[in-house]
Amino acid sequence: MRVPHRRAAALASAAVLLTGLGIAAEVRAAPAPTEEVPAPVARDAEDFGASCRTVVEGSRVTAHCQNPYPATDRVRLHVECERWWDVDTDSAPVDVGATAYAQLTARCWKEVKSAWLTHQPAGPPPSSVPPTPPAPGP
């Protein structure tokens, strides 16, 4: 009774081995790519965003941000407090210009549940000259 099971196992093992050898030969015979794929070029959208580090000490949160890019980054610190009765905090937006440094702080009354930063491209500064009204029609 055991002999047929051993033969079937041996035949199955041989079939798997031969199939694996056939696949390996096909992979080895595949031609190599003829041209190199160029590395992706960095786009302007990727060259944005201040590098920030957040530190939580007890109920206080401090974010240290430094912007290595030429575009101004508008950063906000958001803090969610652990206790249901504790008020969550969203800081005022802070513009971090090229090579500039900013420090944002917030706190909870008790424990901090989570803290995160949001980044937004800062638009051009508002001009001090009011827009000219349209000319009157004919």
Side-chain angles (χ1 to χ4, degrees), residues 29-79:
T34 56
E35 64 182 62
E36 292 185 19
V37 177
V41 178
R43 297 184 306 243
D44 291 338
E46 293 176 359
D47 293 337
F48 169 77
S51 173
C52 298
R53 179 176 52 95
T54 306
V55 178
V56 178
E57 294 174 342
S59 63
R60 296 183 185 273
V61 179
T62 305
H64 307 275
C65 297
Q66 196 271 331
N67 186 5
Y69 299 110
T72 301
D73 186 10
R74 185 166 288 145
V75 181
R76 291 185 73 175
L77 175 62
H78 308 276
V79 177

Side-chain angles (χ1 to χ4, degrees), residues 2-118:
R2 290 187 159 200
V3 174
H5 291 292
R6 287 187 182 176
R7 281 188 193 156
L11 287 174
S13 297
V16 168
L17 180 65
L18 291 175
T19 305
L21 289 175
I23 291 173
E26 287 180 24
V27 169
R28 219 175 309 134
T34 56
E35 64 182 62
E36 292 185 19
V37 177
V41 178
R43 297 184 306 243
D44 291 338
E46 293 176 359
D47 293 337
F48 169 77
S51 173
C52 298
R53 179 176 52 95
T54 306
V55 178
V56 178
E57 294 174 342
S59 63
R60 296 183 185 273
V61 179
T62 305
H64 307 275
C65 297
Q66 196 271 331
N67 186 5
Y69 299 110
T72 301
D73 186 10
R74 185 166 288 145
V75 181
R76 291 185 73 175
L77 175 62
H78 308 276
V79 177
E80 184 178 0
C81 301
E82 182 69 38
R83 308 291 175 132
W84 65 269
W85 46 263
D86 207 345
V87 179
D88 296 341
T89 306
D90 295 323
S91 74
V94 174
D95 288 346
V96 184
T99 69
Y101 171 83
Q103 180 174 324
L104 294 86
T105 58
R107 67 177 299 252
C108 294
W109 284 102
K110 290 282 187 174
E111 302 88 9
V112 173
K113 183 175 186 178
S114 62
W116 67 96
L117 291 151
T118 55

